[in-house]
Amino acid sequence: MIRIALALTLLAGPAFGAAGIDPDWPCIQRKQPHLSMGQVWTGPIPDEDTLALARDPDIARLAERLEQRRLPVEEAEVEIAEFGAQAPDTHLVALMQAIFDRIDTDRSALIAGIARYGQSQLDLSERIEERRARMAEMEAADSPDFDAIDAEEKALDWDQRIFTERQQSLTYVCETPVILEQRVFTLGRAIAGQLD
């Protein structure tokens, strides 16, 4: 009972709807569905030709490889240096655009999923409160149905357990967009370092 009250307090606290904009947003970090290139890139602004070049199969393939988190940043930086040694600046800017487009798309989908996660936690907390109220009514009845009360208590315990486990994984879930932002920034810095 105390654990669920604490978890509900955490949900209702400043972390939920941190920016005061989206009540479904469960993270401390401000909800920002999309990044802008200027947040992560200090190089030249891509023009129309560069945007088209970002779709070149060779650049797109390299961008797809570099954006994957399972590729250590150190290895990505080596691959960027190798590419930069033989590529003109336009290709480097196109590579950055291709990486940015992929990471921003992945990050946006992740943020939408986090919002759904937050809403499901709110829904679950409401269901828990409804079960508690139902149990209180059942226990206050003139002739309580103890089998029904036991069944409701088991369901309540199960919902509380799910809620608590999800709440514990929330920190990791909320850090993932930050990890993606850091990756695109780090890759952007490595690419900018290759520009003439």
Side-chain angles (χ1 to χ4, degrees):
M1 193 76 103
I2 292 172
R3 276 193 316 172
I4 194 67
L6 177 60
L8 290 172
T9 302
L10 290 174
L11 250 183
F16 233 88
I21 297 169
D22 187 345
D24 295 343
W25 187 245
C27 302
I28 293 171
Q29 300 88 342
R30 187 171 64 92
K31 182 179 180 184
Q32 185 178 3
H34 291 280
L35 296 173
S36 70
M37 184 73 115
Q39 290 174 287
V40 295
W41 173 243
T42 58
I45 303 296
D47 58 18
E48 290 300 317
D49 293 337
T50 308
L51 294 173
L53 187 57
R55 293 186 293 275
D56 174 88
D58 291 333
I59 291 175
R61 203 170 15 259
L62 180 57
E64 184 177 344
R65 176 167 164 66
L66 295 174
E67 65 101 8
Q68 295 176 10
R69 287 184 290 158
R70 68 176 173 258
L71 178 70
V73 170
E74 297 78 19
E75 289 180 34
E77 289 171 336
V78 168
E79 290 189 35
I80 289 168
E82 290 171 357
F83 179 76
Q86 57 191 357
D89 284 359
T90 54
H91 285 68
L92 286 163
V93 175
L95 176 62
M96 178 59 197
Q97 183 67 54
I99 290 169
F100 176 83
D101 290 344
R102 281 172 173 71
I103 289 179
D104 189 50
T105 299
D106 293 347
R107 186 181 166 281
S108 294
L110 180 65
I111 285 176
I114 291 171
R116 287 190 303 273
Y117 186 97
Q119 181 58 55
S120 76
Q121 282 293 85
L122 286 173
D123 293 344
L124 185 54
S125 70
E126 288 173 10
R127 189 166 73 213
I128 288 168
E129 290 307 311
E130 288 168 5
R131 286 192 190 282
R132 288 172 142 174
R134 215 168 21 248
M135 274 186 63
E137 287 174 13
M138 293 165 78
E139 289 169 347
D142 290 338
S143 51
D145 180 348
F146 293 108
D147 290 338
I149 292 171
D150 286 347
E152 193 67 31
E153 186 174 22
K154 284 179 185 171
L156 175 62
D157 288 345
W158 180 252
D159 286 347
Q160 287 176 340
R161 192 166 115 199
I162 291 171
F163 182 91
T164 303
E165 287 174 5
R166 287 181 183 172
Q167 197 66 21
Q168 289 168 348
S169 66
L170 189 59
T171 301
Y172 170 76
V173 170
C174 288
E175 284 300 316
T176 307
V178 175
I179 291 167
L180 291 175
E181 290 168 35
Q182 291 168 344
R183 184 164 187 93
V184 73
F185 177 78
T186 301
L187 295 176
R189 191 175 53 202
I191 293 169
Q194 297 296 315
L195 295 171
D196 291 331

